[in-house]
Amino acid sequence: ERQRAVFRAVGENGTTMVEVAPLEAFVSASDLAPPALLKLDVQGFELEALRGCNALLDRFVAVYLECSFEPLYAGQALADEVLAHLFEQGFGLAGVYNAVGDARGRAVQADFLCLSRRAAGFRA
């Protein structure tokens, strides 16, 4: 309901079954040539998707993902939890983009760029 209040054009259009597995079930470490970027847009499933990438996360120089500041999907982790996970995995916040607010001006979601602390020139 909150999502419909903020994004009036959003609505359920159907259901699609998708296979869910750790990233290494689809991609091997040797498939990831540096500098690799992980881009996630998984509608509230960011934390679970990142946990499924843990075995390969050190192969990425950057992670770009959309996160919400308030719940828009049942059971979703919010931005602070998702970013805390990335921080624990050796990434730091490098930028916040495309912030979307509600009618009261409160931030609802944004895109986040996190860089590996191993990346040249990154300062946490």
Side-chain angles (χ1 to χ4, degrees):
E1 292 306 314
R2 179 66 178 140
Q3 187 177 67
R4 286 188 184 121
V6 175
F7 304 101
R8 298 200 185 275
V10 170
E12 188 172 329
N13 193 18
T15 301
T16 302
M17 300 299 289
V18 295
E19 182 178 354
V20 177
L23 184 60
E24 69 230 27
F26 304 100
V27 177
S28 71
S30 63
D31 292 329
L32 300 170
L37 164 73
L38 176 63
K39 164 65 166 90
L40 295 175
D41 189 352
V42 291
Q43 309 310 114
F45 204 66
E46 293 79 18
L47 185 56
E48 291 82 0
L50 284 170
R51 287 179 176 150
C53 295
N54 276 350
L56 295 173
L57 209 50
D58 65 345
R59 303 289 295 176
F60 295 98
V61 171
V63 176
Y64 190 87
L65 69 168
E66 179 184 86
C67 295
S68 300
F69 298 108
E70 58 181 87
L72 298 177
Y73 302 96
Q76 91 177 92
L78 299 180
D80 58 341
E81 296 172 85
V82 174
L83 293 173
H85 179 79
L86 282 168
F87 298 161
E88 289 169 5
Q89 299 301 314
F91 288 81
L93 183 61
V96 179
Y97 307 94
N98 306 314
V100 175
D102 64 11
R104 296 182 193 167
R106 294 179 299 194
V108 175
Q109 67 182 27
D111 293 340
F112 297 88
L113 174 64
C114 295
L115 296 178
S116 169
R117 291 194 182 97
R118 298 177 318 279
F122 179 78
R123 288 180 175 49

